[in-house]
Amino acid sequence: MHEQELLEAFKAYRVEAHQRLFAVVDELDYNQFRWQPAQTLPSIAFHVWHLGRWADFDRVAIGGGEQVWVAERLAQRWGLPSSGLGVAETGMGMGDAMTPALARVPSEQVQEYAFRCLRALDDAVASLAPTDLRRTTSGATGDSRDIVTVLLGHFAHDNRHLGMIEALRGMQGLSGTATD
């Protein structure tokens, strides 16, 4: 497969994966969105926020503009101490102590932020040319990566969290699959 074909396939699969996520989250009520099977297991709300944070971060990494999170000062607006939000304020490595603070943010704001960032990432990916795939950028920990590595990592990451969301739906007695 040539880079152009790879990029076109990736663009299509990105949009499809995000549509699946939107479909399994849109129908949830407040309690289903916030439900945790145990205090140490994150809710669907956390997974959605976390996916939005990485989409926001990765969009910037591939050249798609400023982070919404930073531009709109959402951590401050939502009363979240940025020091407790993990690596690059994405939730990666965030301790359980932050769960109650994140739970105070209205569900519709969490979902709106995440979905806006996911769509913005899709738009940024749609604008890429095959020659962009080998361009180098910085990761969350300051490491150097090429754009194709960022995109493939993001795709795998989103699908892992979609699987967790499906499992949490199933534990609540809902249809767990996003591919019905």
Side-chain angles (χ1 to χ4, degrees), residues 1 23 26 30 42 56 67 83 102-103 110 112-113 128 135 153:
M1 182 178 279
D26 276 342
Y30 175 86
D56 206 4
Q67 283 189 48
S83 62
L102 186 57
V110 171
E112 187 274 334
Y113 163 73
L128 293 175
R135 190 166 32 91

Side-chain angles (χ1 to χ4, degrees), residues 122-168:
D122 289 342
D123 291 344
V125 170
S127 73
L128 293 175
T131 54
D132 293 323
L133 296 177
R134 296 291 168 209
R135 190 166 32 91
T136 302
T137 189
S138 293
T141 57
D143 55 328
S144 182
R145 304 171 176 218
D146 57 17
I147 299 297
V148 72
T149 302
V150 170
L151 295 177
L152 292 173
H154 189 90
F155 188 64
H157 176 261
D158 275 8
N159 281 299
R160 286 194 327 267
H161 283 279
L162 178 58
M164 289 182 235
I165 290 168
E166 291 171 319
L168 288 166

Side-chain angles (χ1 to χ4, degrees), residues 28-166:
L28 299 175
D29 66 28
Y30 175 86
N31 291 327
Q32 293 164 332
F33 192 62
R34 298 291 182 169
W35 179 79
Q36 291 179 256
Q39 196 133 20
T40 57
L41 298 173
S43 66
I44 291 172
F46 168 82
H47 291 288
V48 170
W49 170 78
H50 177 69
L51 288 169
R53 284 298 299 128
W54 273 110
D56 206 4
F57 187 89
D58 284 345
R59 180 180 47 80
V60 173
I62 67 169
E66 185 179 10
Q67 283 189 48
V68 171
W69 185 255
V70 173
E72 296 182 10
R73 300 174 42 204
L74 291 178
Q76 288 177 326
R77 283 183 37 208
W78 291 353
L80 301 173
S82 58
S83 62
L85 297 175
V87 175
E89 297 181 31
T90 62
M92 186 172 80
M94 183 175 93
D96 295 333
M98 284 300 296
T99 301
L102 186 57
R104 286 191 295 272
V105 179
S107 297
E108 61 276 357
Q109 289 180 25
V110 171
Q111 192 171 336
E112 187 274 334
Y113 163 73
F115 288 3
R116 187 164 37 127
C117 291
L118 291 163
R119 287 184 180 107
L121 176 62
D122 289 342
D123 291 344
V125 170
S127 73
L128 293 175
T131 54
D132 293 323
L133 296 177
R134 296 291 168 209
R135 190 166 32 91
T136 302
T137 189
S138 293
T141 57
D143 55 328
S144 182
R145 304 171 176 218
D146 57 17
I147 299 297
V148 72
T149 302
V150 170
L151 295 177
L152 292 173
H154 189 90
F155 188 64
H157 176 261
D158 275 8
N159 281 299
R160 286 194 327 267
H161 283 279
L162 178 58
M164 289 182 235
I165 290 168
E166 291 171 319

